[in-house]
């Protein structure tokens, strides 16, 4: 991307008449904005996509607002610029102040919003910059129905989705099952929605996960349950603790990997349920493979999700899965029951029953054939196809 010292006035003059598509032979220039290096599935995938685009020789760049965060390793290889000035408070406010000048300086062909958290950035740029704003592509990374919200807040959220549909150029659903939901919530025709499976794994990582050995059975007959996610209300780990307390025997163990604001409340709940000696919460870990290799069953208790990336990693590793029906994509993600068991959201009794009788591991060939579509190599090219079509003004792929 351009790194010259032109003044803002000169750059503004260059935008007279609005944004213009690049010449056909010009490499696609992509700008992605993230808050920080805090751990999160959306951020991890965004860093990896940009690293892959850089490997392919594209002038991609990630703008990050804060240098802190424990997931810095996930950003390895991504072209990153940390812009000072965001020490806390509103990340959106910081981006509204800083990003217009960055867009004028960099002149990207596409502004990529890597998940629902970042669509507010795209909307703000469209409102602030008008025709000078490059096309905005928004990945829909989370549930849009949001039954977890009270009715008034859900109504406001639906209006917010409608506004995004009016202003943003293209939406990317992470599975075919999400297309109808995106079309309805955003109020956009299907020719503005593409499907790109979430690029969770590199090809070599898929091979490593597939090669993990399954642990030997516990000699005392117990099971080792594993859950992964930020310690926050969306993941509903309080429900998981309740279900585990209801079904677990003395030899059963539960490990929850992740960090977040709910830690103290969850620790208090463990103590109240009398299971603190059988539940471990070691915090955020950068390498899941040792934990996957030593676990018998993976459990997801979320209230809502988009296409949870961790499910792909767990499928690659071959663990049986028990999950709440927390996304329109979950049934497809679990192969209509071939790869795991779904239970109603918020139902501790059903979750406990499914944990007590987990499904058998799915055949390896079926699992791996399915998981290959979620590789970074395929996903990076899929996003580039979408971006080129947006820049050229072509409709979405069927």
């Amino acid at each position: 991307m351009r790194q010259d010292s032109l003044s803002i006035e000169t750059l503004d003059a260059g935008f007279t008449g609005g944004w213009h598509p690049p010449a056909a032979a010009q490499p696609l220039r992509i700008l992605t904005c993230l808050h920080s290096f805090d751990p999160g599935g959306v951020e991890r995938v965004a860093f990896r996509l940009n690293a892959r685009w850089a490997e392919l020789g594209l002038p991609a760049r990630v703008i990050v607002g804060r240098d802190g965060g424990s997931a810095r390793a996930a950003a390895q290889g991504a072209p990153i610029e940390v812009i000072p000035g965001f020490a806390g408070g509103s990340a959106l406010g910081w981006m509204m102040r800083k990003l217009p000048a960055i867009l004028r300086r960099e002149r990207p062909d596409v502004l990529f919003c890597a998940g629902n958290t970042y669509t507010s950035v795209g909307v703000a740029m469209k409102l602030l910059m008008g025709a000078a704003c490059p096309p905005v592509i928004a990945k829909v990374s989370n549930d849009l129905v949001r039954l977890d919200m009270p009715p008034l807040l859900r109504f406001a959220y639906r209006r917010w989705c409608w506004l995004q549909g009016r202003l943003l150029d293209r939406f990317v659903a992470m599975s075919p099952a999400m297309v109808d939901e995106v079309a309805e919530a955003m109020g956009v025709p299907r020719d503005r929605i593409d499907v790109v499976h979430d690029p969770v794994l590199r090809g070599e990582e898929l091979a490593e996960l597939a090669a993990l050995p399954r642990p030997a059975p516990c000699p005392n007959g117990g099971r080792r349950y594993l859950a992964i996610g930020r310690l926050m209300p969306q993941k509903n780990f309080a429900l998981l603790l309740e279900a585990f307390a209801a079904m677990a025997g003395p030899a059963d163990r539960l490990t929850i990997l992740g960090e977040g604001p709910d830690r103290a409340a969850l620790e208090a709940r463990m103590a109240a349920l009398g299971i603190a000696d059988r539940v471990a919460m070691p915090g955020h870990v950068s390498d899941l493979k040792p934990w996957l290799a030593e676990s018998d069953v993976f459990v997801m208790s979320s209230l809502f999700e988009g296409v949870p990336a961790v499910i792909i990693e767990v499928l690659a590793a071959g663990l049986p899965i028990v999950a709440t029906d927390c996304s329109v994509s979950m049934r497809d993600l679990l192969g209509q029951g071939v790869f795991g068991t779904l239970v109603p959201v918020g139902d501790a009794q059903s979750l406990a029953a499914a944990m007590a009788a987990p499904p058998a591991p799915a055949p390896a060939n079926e699992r791996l054939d399915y998981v290959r579509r979620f590789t970074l190599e395929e996903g990076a090219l899929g996003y580039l196809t979408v971006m080129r079509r947006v820049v050229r003004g072509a409709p979405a792929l069927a």
Side-chain angles (χ1 to χ4, degrees):
M1 292 191 180
R2 292 181 53 159
Q3 298 291 319
D4 53 35
S5 58
L6 293 174
S7 68
I8 293 300
E9 291 77 11
T10 303
L11 290 173
D12 278 336
F15 274 107
T16 301
W19 176 87
H20 297 286
Q26 181 176 303
L28 195 66
R29 299 167 298 181
I30 308 162
L31 189 72
T32 305
C33 293
L34 300 176
H35 298 326
S36 68
F37 297 97
D38 288 334
V42 163
E43 289 76 14
R44 178 172 175 263
V45 170
F47 282 128
R48 290 180 143 215
L49 278 171
N50 277 273
R52 180 59 178 165
W53 292 330
E55 288 176 4
L56 295 173
L58 295 174
R61 183 178 295 276
V62 185
I63 301 297
V64 178
R66 188 174 64 244
D67 201 19
S70 59
R72 188 71 188 248
Q76 185 175 2
I80 296 167
E81 181 178 357
V82 179
I83 304 297
F86 173 38
S90 170
L92 176 60
W94 170 84
M95 289 187 176
M96 288 176 66
R97 293 192 304 273
K98 298 287 188 177
L99 194 53
I102 294 170
L103 290 172
R104 294 182 178 105
R105 182 193 76 198
E106 300 286 344
R107 299 192 179 193
D109 302 312
V110 170
L111 176 61
F112 178 47
C113 296
N116 293 40
T117 307
Y118 298 98
T119 53
S120 56
V121 177
V123 168
M125 293 305 103
K126 285 289 188 179
L127 292 173
L128 288 171
M129 299 182 69
C133 183
V136 177
I137 296 177
K139 169 186 167 185
V140 181
S141 62
N142 226 327
D143 172 61
L144 297 177
V145 178
R146 299 301 300 269
L147 295 177
D148 61 301
M149 292 179 174
L152 187 60
L153 184 57
R154 195 183 317 145
F155 172 78
Y157 183 74
R158 297 285 285 191
R159 299 303 296 170
W160 165 237
C161 289
W162 180 88
L163 179 62
Q164 294 176 47
R166 306 284 73 73
L167 293 175
L168 305 185
D169 297 273
R170 191 73 62 95
F171 297 91
V172 176
M174 296 190 296
S175 76
M178 294 177 69
V179 172
D180 287 344
E181 182 179 289
V182 174
E184 180 181 354
M186 303 297 184
V188 298
R190 282 161 179 77
D191 65 2
R192 286 175 57 198
I193 307 169
D194 292 277
V195 176
V196 179
H197 292 286
D198 206 23
V200 175
L201 298 170
R202 287 184 177 271
E204 63 267 24
E205 291 172 332
L206 171 56
E208 291 171 1
L209 288 167
L212 288 177
R214 290 287 85 232
C218 291
N220 50 15
R223 287 195 182 96
R224 292 152 293 199
Y225 295 89
L226 178 67
I228 302 171
R230 287 263 293 158
L231 307 183
M232 57 190 300
Q234 174 189 349
K235 305 303 180 181
N236 206 6
F237 288 132
L239 180 84
L240 174 58
L241 295 177
E242 183 181 345
F244 181 76
M247 55 70 56
D252 291 324
R253 296 292 183 268
L254 169 64
T255 299
I256 302 174
L257 301 180
E259 196 51 81
D262 282 4
R263 172 174 284 277
L266 292 173
E267 289 174 339
R269 186 62 178 154
M270 287 159 45
L273 291 168
I275 56 173
D277 60 333
R278 288 175 284 166
V279 180
M281 292 198 304
H284 172 73
V285 300
S286 57
D287 185 5
L288 297 179
K289 292 192 291 294
W291 303 90
L292 293 170
E294 293 298 324
S295 300
D296 300 304
V297 181
F298 178 79
V299 187
M300 173 171 282
S301 53
S302 297
L303 292 168
F304 60 92
E305 294 283 351
V307 175
V310 68
I311 292 290
I312 305 303
E313 296 177 88
V314 172
L315 281 175
L319 272 71
I321 296 171
V322 174
T324 54
D325 193 6
C326 54
S327 163
V328 69
S329 303
M330 284 300 293
R331 293 186 183 276
D332 283 348
L333 206 55
L334 294 187
Q336 307 300 323
V338 173
F339 304 141
T341 299
L342 285 179
V343 301
V345 171
D347 188 334
Q349 184 176 354
S350 294
L351 185 61
M355 291 171 65
N365 60 333
E366 291 186 42
R367 284 189 294 104
L368 298 179
D369 283 347
Y370 179 74
V371 170
R372 283 189 186 96
R373 70 191 66 186
F374 295 90
T375 58
L376 182 64
E377 290 79 1
E378 288 202 18
L381 293 178
Y383 273 103
L384 290 179
T385 298
V386 172
M387 291 173 179
R388 289 189 181 105
R389 293 178 66 82
V390 169
V391 167
R392 295 168 186 164
L397 294 170

